Amino acid sequence: MPRAAKLELLSLLDEILVRHDIIEWILQNRFKNEKGEPLEFEQHAFLVQPYRDFSPKLVCMKCAQIGFSTMAVLKEFYLAWYRKFNCIHTLPTDEDVRLFASSKINPMINNNPALRALVREVDTIYNKQVGDAFIFWQGTKGQSKGIMISSDVNVHDERDRSDQAKLETYRSRLEHSSYKGEWSFSNPSRPNVGVDIYWQRSDKKQWHIRCSRCGERQPLDYFANICEERRQYVCRKCHEILRHEDRLTGEWVAEFQGRYWSGYHINQLMAPWITAAELVEARESETQEFFYNFRLGLPVIGSVNQVSRSIILQCCTDKAPEGRWKLLGVDVGKVLHCVQGTENGITRVFTLPDWDSLHAYFVAQGINLAVVDNAPDTEEATRFCRHFRGRAYRCIYDYDDEREEMIEWSDIGQTKKVRQEKEGVVWAHRTRVIDHTIEVYNKGEIYVYIKPNEPQLVGQGKAGVTEECLCGHWETLYVAGADGQKTNIVKVDKFGNVIRTWENSGPDHFAHANVYYEIARQRKAPTTRLHEHRPKKPRVVRPVISDITGY
């Protein structure tokens, strides 16, 4: 065979290999990361299988700084070029997108001529054309608008720090795709929220290494494989020090073969460049939340406050509803989430499809006072409150620590100008009013006139999902910033100080509807407790899920 023909054949074989193996594509093109360092898989052997895994449903519950974002970028380019897949890559905020573009995506393109050659006419911070397909990057918090195009793969980066409700809207972008890819990876936050929900549904692959001294195959776990006294990696069976070579190679072992979601758990013990001494030092100096989430890639409750359904269920009663006033709280999402009651307690939890339905319900039920969400439909909320002047108010959350009262009404104690310009408005300190509502449950100061097994209260018992019910939505809330650290914090004041806030890790509409109902209740049956309270921390026990790892 002539030399030219041989070279052509070899080139064709290389192209076939590249089309069928992303690792071959990376190695043949000698790709570099954003720092200009060649990508290698000797130190990153645990990433080879995740790179090659193109399962439509893919989840990774991971630690920080192990090369996963680089992998996501390359897999997106690979799919866009070779399969002509449109990809949407979400990050928590618009600012995260801008930083990701300037510090990760653009440097990788500039460092790799083979990547640069794939980018066509469209090349912006938020989207790039790769061949005939497009890759979009979007923040879930901020000014980003939903992308009105079809997607083949949605990649949700840092899922636990993202707006969970916004992430759900992206699923509709997959309806016209035969692939319908959903990839989620994140440092976890709390058990049974965010990325942990999908991990629990997955086949739960763990990286198993082999001890060269006794032959034991084992997943790497901080509490079984690190001797804090010696500050060394050890075998969980023979307790001898693991050789460096032992951690360089391993294999992924699925605990639940055949599950729909392909899942990986990655912790920093898998990274050969991280020493046991570093991890011991981290455990001694970092908060439990940070150490578990970012070092071990594990969810943890730790010192983070959260809401337990037990404080709501303890208020349930078989009594007939009592009270003079009919009160309503309404949170606005795709539908209107409503919590109704009297000054003595909650009588109903339900949804309405739109504002016209709310208008009709308000009239039919003879509601005396309603507090509705001011956003995102400010115009509709304003129109509704003007129509029911004096009986409906739109709530604006703030963090005004200088205001003495937790709640301030536009028609009470205000100047004539404020009453006119801010008609039908109630301001509420977001953190304090949520604290207050929880404390009302804690102290049993209201009744819940709903049976404790009713779906509107507790859902239908579906595992692994946040159900559309009052307790389910309350349980997605957790406190951030209580320790003053900026880890996972989304709010700071004008001086850069951390603000203690209630954040959500899933749908929380009924919880806020409950808060708006409580604001209305305070107007009709005020208590003396209008200032900030410190609710008890409910004890939440996390069930053991895995027989091998316990998570």
Side-chain angles (χ1 to χ4, degrees):
M1 181 182 292
R3 176 178 172 80
K6 288 182 179 179
L7 291 175
E8 184 178 351
L9 179 59
L10 288 172
S11 178
L12 180 61
L13 290 173
D14 284 343
E15 179 63 20
I16 293 173
L17 284 173
V18 162
R19 281 181 174 273
H20 290 85
D21 187 359
I22 188 174
I23 298 296
E24 191 68 28
W25 178 64
I26 291 169
L27 296 178
Q28 280 196 26
N29 287 288
R30 299 179 181 179
F31 281 139
K32 300 175 182 177
N33 62 19
E34 69 277 9
K35 298 178 182 178
E37 302 166 342
L39 294 179
E40 52 77 32
F41 296 100
E42 181 179 351
Q43 297 285 317
H44 294 80
F46 57 89
L47 287 182
V48 171
Q49 186 170 328
Y51 261 99
R52 286 174 168 156
D53 192 337
F54 285 93
S55 302
K57 307 302 178 186
L58 183 65
V59 60
C60 180
M61 190 168 68
K62 68 182 189 67
C63 58
Q65 303 302 315
I66 43 80
F68 224 82
S69 292
T70 298
M71 181 182 73
V73 171
L74 291 175
K75 290 181 76 168
E76 288 162 356
F77 271 80
Y78 187 82
L79 285 176
W81 181 255
Y82 286 108
R83 299 197 191 178
K84 296 179 172 51
F85 279 1
N86 287 334
C87 304
I88 298 175
H89 186 135
T90 67
L91 289 156
T93 68
D94 288 345
E95 181 60 25
D96 290 328
V97 173
R98 288 190 286 271
L99 289 174
F100 194 68
S102 62
S103 64
K104 176 75 68 174
I105 302 168
N106 291 338
M108 284 184 64
I109 292 173
N110 293 333
N111 290 337
N112 297 285
L115 281 184
R116 192 160 60 246
L118 304 183
V119 180
R120 295 297 188 253
E121 291 83 1
V122 180
D123 184 3
T124 71
I125 289 176
Y126 294 102
N127 62 84
K128 297 186 188 298
Q129 183 179 359
V130 179
D132 296 326
F134 292 85
I135 305 174
F136 295 86
W137 288 272
Q138 284 277 294
T140 64
K141 302 175 184 178
Q143 302 302 314
S144 287
K145 304 297 182 183
I147 300 176
M148 301 309 295
I149 65 161
S150 295
S151 172
D152 296 288
V153 183
N154 292 343
V155 179
H156 299 309
D157 193 346
E158 295 302 339
R159 186 181 188 103
D160 281 46
R161 277 85 206 169
S162 300
D163 184 325
Q164 303 300 311
K166 184 71 174 290
L167 290 181
E168 294 301 317
T169 67
Y170 282 98
R171 189 165 291 160
S172 65
R173 303 294 93 214
L174 299 169
E175 291 177 356
H176 298 291
S177 171
S178 59
Y179 187 70
K180 292 182 172 59
E182 291 184 273
W183 297 352
S184 288
F185 55 94
S186 181
N187 312 122
S189 55
R190 298 186 300 134
N192 203 35
V193 297
V195 72
D196 188 50
I197 290 177
Y198 298 92
W199 164 253
Q200 299 299 344
R201 299 177 187 175
S202 77
D203 57 4
K204 294 189 175 181
K205 287 186 282 292
Q206 299 282 348
W207 182 247
H208 285 234
I209 60 100
R210 178 181 176 276
C211 174
S212 58
R213 301 181 191 276
C214 70
E216 177 73 5
R217 295 187 179 277
Q218 56 201 281
L220 286 169
D221 178 88
Y222 180 90
F223 301 100
N225 291 108
I226 286 187
C227 175
E228 293 184 330
E229 183 178 352
R230 289 184 284 175
R231 299 193 171 224
Q232 295 283 352
Y233 291 104
V234 297
C235 172
R236 65 173 60 199
K237 181 180 180 181
C238 69
H239 305 294
E240 294 294 327
I241 294 175
L242 288 170
R243 295 187 174 98
H244 179 70
E245 294 75 17
D246 294 343
R247 292 195 303 127
L248 282 176
T249 59
E251 63 176 338
W252 287 102
V253 178
E255 186 174 357
F256 301 99
Q257 290 280 359
R259 283 191 175 179
Y260 191 46
W261 281 80
S262 176
Y264 298 87
H265 172 241
I266 298 179
N267 60 41
Q268 289 192 349
L269 283 78
M270 301 176 191
W273 61 90
I274 297 178
T275 66
E278 289 178 77
L279 290 175
V280 173
E281 175 67 23
R283 190 187 182 208
E284 293 172 348
S285 60
E286 296 169 352
T287 64
Q288 183 189 45
E289 179 189 4
F290 187 93
F291 182 72
Y292 271 71
N293 293 170
F294 292 91
R295 303 289 187 184
L296 304 186
L298 292 175
V300 66
I301 294 174
S303 60
V304 179
N305 295 337
Q306 67 172 26
V307 183
S308 168
R309 63 180 56 198
S310 63
I311 67 168
I312 299 173
L313 297 179
Q314 72 179 1
C315 298
C316 290
T317 179
D318 293 330
K319 289 183 178 181
E322 298 176 344
R324 174 184 177 187
W325 307 106
K326 293 182 179 180
L327 311 174
L328 186 66
V330 182
D331 188 68
V332 181
K334 288 184 179 179
V335 296
L336 306 182
H337 291 73
C338 306
V339 172
Q340 185 177 344
T342 71
E343 68 271 25
N344 294 322
I346 293 171
T347 57
R348 191 182 178 202
V349 179
F350 61 102
T351 62
L352 292 171
D354 50 42
W355 288 93
D356 289 339
S357 301
L358 177 62
H359 188 289
Y361 186 86
F362 192 96
V363 173
Q365 291 290 314
I367 301 297
N368 300 112
L369 180 62
V371 175
V372 302
D373 189 0
N374 181 64
D377 295 338
T378 302
E379 290 185 7
E380 290 285 358
T382 302
R383 189 178 299 114
F384 179 82
C385 293
R386 284 177 178 170
H387 185 86
F388 295 104
R389 185 175 281 108
R391 295 170 60 197
Y393 294 80
R394 51 193 174 95
C395 180
I396 299 176
Y397 279 145
D398 62 29
Y399 294 93
D400 186 358
D401 290 325
E402 296 181 0
R403 185 177 64 239
E404 182 179 356
E405 300 298 332
M406 176 180 69
I407 302 166
E408 185 175 24
W409 302 85
S410 62
D411 58 348
I412 298 178
Q414 305 292 345
T415 64
K416 183 178 180 180
K417 182 178 180 181
V418 170
R419 290 199 301 270
Q420 291 175 343
E421 293 180 354
K422 300 295 183 181
E423 181 184 20
V425 173
V426 55
W427 294 274
H429 190 291
R430 189 179 186 278
T431 302
R432 293 168 63 190
V433 75
I434 294 176
D435 286 349
H436 164 83
T437 305
I438 295 168
E439 186 71 354
V440 166
Y441 279 124
N442 258 330
K443 294 195 172 183
E445 294 184 355
I446 64 169
Y447 290 114
V448 176
Y449 298 109
I450 303 172
K451 292 181 180 180
N453 60 349
E454 283 288 325
Q456 60 181 305
L457 195 61
V458 295
Q460 298 177 346
K462 296 179 181 178
V465 297
T466 301
E467 296 192 71
E468 283 286 293
C469 61
L470 184 64
C471 290
H473 283 202
W474 269 112
E475 287 180 330
T476 70
L477 294 184
Y478 66 96
V479 168
D483 57 3
Q485 295 191 18
K486 292 188 178 181
T487 304
N488 302 343
I489 303 303
V490 297
K491 296 290 184 184
V492 294
D493 62 21
K494 60 184 178 181
F495 303 109
N497 299 315
V498 172
I499 298 174
R500 177 180 170 273
T501 64
W502 284 95
E503 300 300 328
N504 70 301
S505 56
D508 61 351
H509 299 294
F510 280 129
H512 290 288
N514 192 163
V515 172
Y516 299 144
Y517 155 78
E518 177 60 24
I519 292 172
R521 197 178 77 89
Q522 284 297 310
R523 174 136 180 172
K524 290 300 185 182
T527 70
T528 58
R529 301 180 305 102
L530 294 178
H531 305 292
E532 185 173 2
H533 302 285
R534 297 173 177 80
K536 301 173 183 177
K537 298 178 183 177
R539 182 173 178 264
V540 180
V541 180
R542 181 173 181 239
V544 174
I545 304 297
S546 168
D547 293 333
I548 296 176
T549 62
Y551 49 83

PDB file of all heavy atoms in Angstrom, residues 80 113 167 174 247 258 272 393 397 458 488 524:
ATOM      1  N   ALA A  80     -21.545  19.117  20.941  1.00  0.00           N
ATOM      2  CA  ALA A  80     -21.981  20.114  19.961  1.00  0.00           C
ATOM      3  C   ALA A  80     -21.360  19.843  18.595  1.00  0.00           C
ATOM      4  O   ALA A  80     -22.035  19.964  17.556  1.00  0.00           O
ATOM      5  CB  ALA A  80     -21.608  21.514  20.454  1.00  0.00           C
ATOM      6  N   PRO A 113      -5.877  25.388  20.038  1.00  0.00           N
ATOM      7  CA  PRO A 113      -6.264  25.704  18.646  1.00  0.00           C
ATOM      8  C   PRO A 113      -7.376  24.801  18.122  1.00  0.00           C
ATOM      9  O   PRO A 113      -8.223  25.242  17.354  1.00  0.00           O
ATOM     10  CB  PRO A 113      -4.959  25.479  17.871  1.00  0.00           C
ATOM     11  CG  PRO A 113      -3.878  25.685  18.881  1.00  0.00           C
ATOM     12  CD  PRO A 113      -4.437  25.175  20.176  1.00  0.00           C
ATOM     13  N   LEU A 167     -34.361  26.153  37.704  1.00  0.00           N
ATOM     14  CA  LEU A 167     -33.798  24.973  37.040  1.00  0.00           C
ATOM     15  C   LEU A 167     -34.891  24.092  36.451  1.00  0.00           C
ATOM     16  O   LEU A 167     -34.720  23.504  35.382  1.00  0.00           O
ATOM     17  CB  LEU A 167     -32.959  24.159  38.035  1.00  0.00           C
ATOM     18  CG  LEU A 167     -31.642  24.769  38.504  1.00  0.00           C
ATOM     19  CD1 LEU A 167     -30.939  23.816  39.461  1.00  0.00           C
ATOM     20  CD2 LEU A 167     -30.734  25.096  37.333  1.00  0.00           C
ATOM     21  N   LEU A 174     -36.167  20.583  26.696  1.00  0.00           N
ATOM     22  CA  LEU A 174     -35.725  19.276  26.194  1.00  0.00           C
ATOM     23  C   LEU A 174     -36.823  18.508  25.471  1.00  0.00           C
ATOM     24  O   LEU A 174     -36.580  17.411  24.969  1.00  0.00           O
ATOM     25  CB  LEU A 174     -35.219  18.415  27.361  1.00  0.00           C
ATOM     26  CG  LEU A 174     -34.031  18.943  28.163  1.00  0.00           C
ATOM     27  CD1 LEU A 174     -33.848  18.111  29.429  1.00  0.00           C
ATOM     28  CD2 LEU A 174     -32.762  18.918  27.327  1.00  0.00           C
ATOM     29  N   ARG A 247      -3.524   4.764  45.435  1.00  0.00           N
ATOM     30  CA  ARG A 247      -4.588   5.750  45.164  1.00  0.00           C
ATOM     31  C   ARG A 247      -4.561   6.263  43.728  1.00  0.00           C
ATOM     32  O   ARG A 247      -5.452   7.020  43.333  1.00  0.00           O
ATOM     33  CB  ARG A 247      -4.481   6.934  46.141  1.00  0.00           C
ATOM     34  CG  ARG A 247      -4.796   6.558  47.575  1.00  0.00           C
ATOM     35  CD  ARG A 247      -5.050   7.784  48.440  1.00  0.00           C
ATOM     36  NE  ARG A 247      -3.927   8.709  48.441  1.00  0.00           N
ATOM     37  CZ  ARG A 247      -4.014  10.004  48.152  1.00  0.00           C
ATOM     38  NH1 ARG A 247      -5.179  10.548  47.828  1.00  0.00           N
ATOM     39  NH2 ARG A 247      -2.935  10.773  48.196  1.00  0.00           N
ATOM     40  N   GLY A 258     -28.191  -0.823  37.146  1.00  0.00           N
ATOM     41  CA  GLY A 258     -29.385  -0.741  36.324  1.00  0.00           C
ATOM     42  C   GLY A 258     -30.302   0.427  36.600  1.00  0.00           C
ATOM     43  O   GLY A 258     -31.333   0.567  35.938  1.00  0.00           O
ATOM     44  N   PRO A 272      -4.744  12.247  44.179  1.00  0.00           N
ATOM     45  CA  PRO A 272      -3.422  11.855  44.688  1.00  0.00           C
ATOM     46  C   PRO A 272      -2.572  13.031  45.145  1.00  0.00           C
ATOM     47  O   PRO A 272      -1.649  12.850  45.937  1.00  0.00           O
ATOM     48  CB  PRO A 272      -2.780  11.148  43.485  1.00  0.00           C
ATOM     49  CG  PRO A 272      -3.922  10.708  42.635  1.00  0.00           C
ATOM     50  CD  PRO A 272      -4.971  11.768  42.801  1.00  0.00           C
ATOM     51  N   TYR A 393     -53.103  43.545  50.085  1.00  0.00           N
ATOM     52  CA  TYR A 393     -51.817  44.253  50.115  1.00  0.00           C
ATOM     53  C   TYR A 393     -50.769  43.379  49.438  1.00  0.00           C
ATOM     54  O   TYR A 393     -50.811  42.146  49.516  1.00  0.00           O
ATOM     55  CB  TYR A 393     -51.391  44.543  51.559  1.00  0.00           C
ATOM     56  CG  TYR A 393     -52.295  45.523  52.276  1.00  0.00           C
ATOM     57  CD1 TYR A 393     -53.507  45.102  52.820  1.00  0.00           C
ATOM     58  CD2 TYR A 393     -51.935  46.858  52.400  1.00  0.00           C
ATOM     59  CE1 TYR A 393     -54.344  45.997  53.468  1.00  0.00           C
ATOM     60  CE2 TYR A 393     -52.762  47.765  53.057  1.00  0.00           C
ATOM     61  CZ  TYR A 393     -53.965  47.319  53.570  1.00  0.00           C
ATOM     62  OH  TYR A 393     -54.800  48.223  54.207  1.00  0.00           O
ATOM     63  N   TYR A 397     -40.506  42.175  50.438  1.00  0.00           N
ATOM     64  CA  TYR A 397     -39.494  41.752  51.405  1.00  0.00           C
ATOM     65  C   TYR A 397     -38.325  42.734  51.383  1.00  0.00           C
ATOM     66  O   TYR A 397     -37.945  43.264  50.334  1.00  0.00           O
ATOM     67  CB  TYR A 397     -38.945  40.377  51.030  1.00  0.00           C
ATOM     68  CG  TYR A 397     -39.785  39.185  51.437  1.00  0.00           C
ATOM     69  CD1 TYR A 397     -39.846  38.051  50.622  1.00  0.00           C
ATOM     70  CD2 TYR A 397     -40.473  39.152  52.640  1.00  0.00           C
ATOM     71  CE1 TYR A 397     -40.570  36.929  50.983  1.00  0.00           C
ATOM     72  CE2 TYR A 397     -41.206  38.038  53.016  1.00  0.00           C
ATOM     73  CZ  TYR A 397     -41.254  36.935  52.189  1.00  0.00           C
ATOM     74  OH  TYR A 397     -41.977  35.828  52.557  1.00  0.00           O
ATOM     75  N   VAL A 458     -48.882  17.252  53.775  1.00  0.00           N
ATOM     76  CA  VAL A 458     -47.678  16.413  53.803  1.00  0.00           C
ATOM     77  C   VAL A 458     -47.373  15.715  52.479  1.00  0.00           C
ATOM     78  O   VAL A 458     -46.401  14.971  52.381  1.00  0.00           O
ATOM     79  CB  VAL A 458     -47.777  15.350  54.920  1.00  0.00           C
ATOM     80  CG1 VAL A 458     -47.810  16.008  56.281  1.00  0.00           C
ATOM     81  CG2 VAL A 458     -48.996  14.450  54.711  1.00  0.00           C
ATOM     82  N   ASN A 488     -21.160  29.981  50.416  1.00  0.00           N
ATOM     83  CA  ASN A 488     -22.532  29.710  49.986  1.00  0.00           C
ATOM     84  C   ASN A 488     -23.500  30.832  50.338  1.00  0.00           C
ATOM     85  O   ASN A 488     -24.703  30.631  50.421  1.00  0.00           O
ATOM     86  CB  ASN A 488     -23.069  28.413  50.618  1.00  0.00           C
ATOM     87  CG  ASN A 488     -22.205  27.229  50.271  1.00  0.00           C
ATOM     88  OD1 ASN A 488     -21.422  27.289  49.336  1.00  0.00           O
ATOM     89  ND2 ASN A 488     -22.330  26.155  51.014  1.00  0.00           N
ATOM     90  N   LYS A 524     -54.774  41.443  61.807  1.00  0.00           N
ATOM     91  CA  LYS A 524     -56.103  41.224  62.369  1.00  0.00           C
ATOM     92  C   LYS A 524     -56.073  40.756  63.818  1.00  0.00           C
ATOM     93  O   LYS A 524     -57.016  40.989  64.574  1.00  0.00           O
ATOM     94  CB  LYS A 524     -56.866  40.199  61.516  1.00  0.00           C
ATOM     95  CG  LYS A 524     -57.263  40.717  60.143  1.00  0.00           C
ATOM     96  CD  LYS A 524     -58.174  41.938  60.255  1.00  0.00           C
ATOM     97  CE  LYS A 524     -58.674  42.383  58.890  1.00  0.00           C
ATOM     98  NZ  LYS A 524     -59.531  43.598  58.990  1.00  0.00           N
TER      99      LYS A 524
END
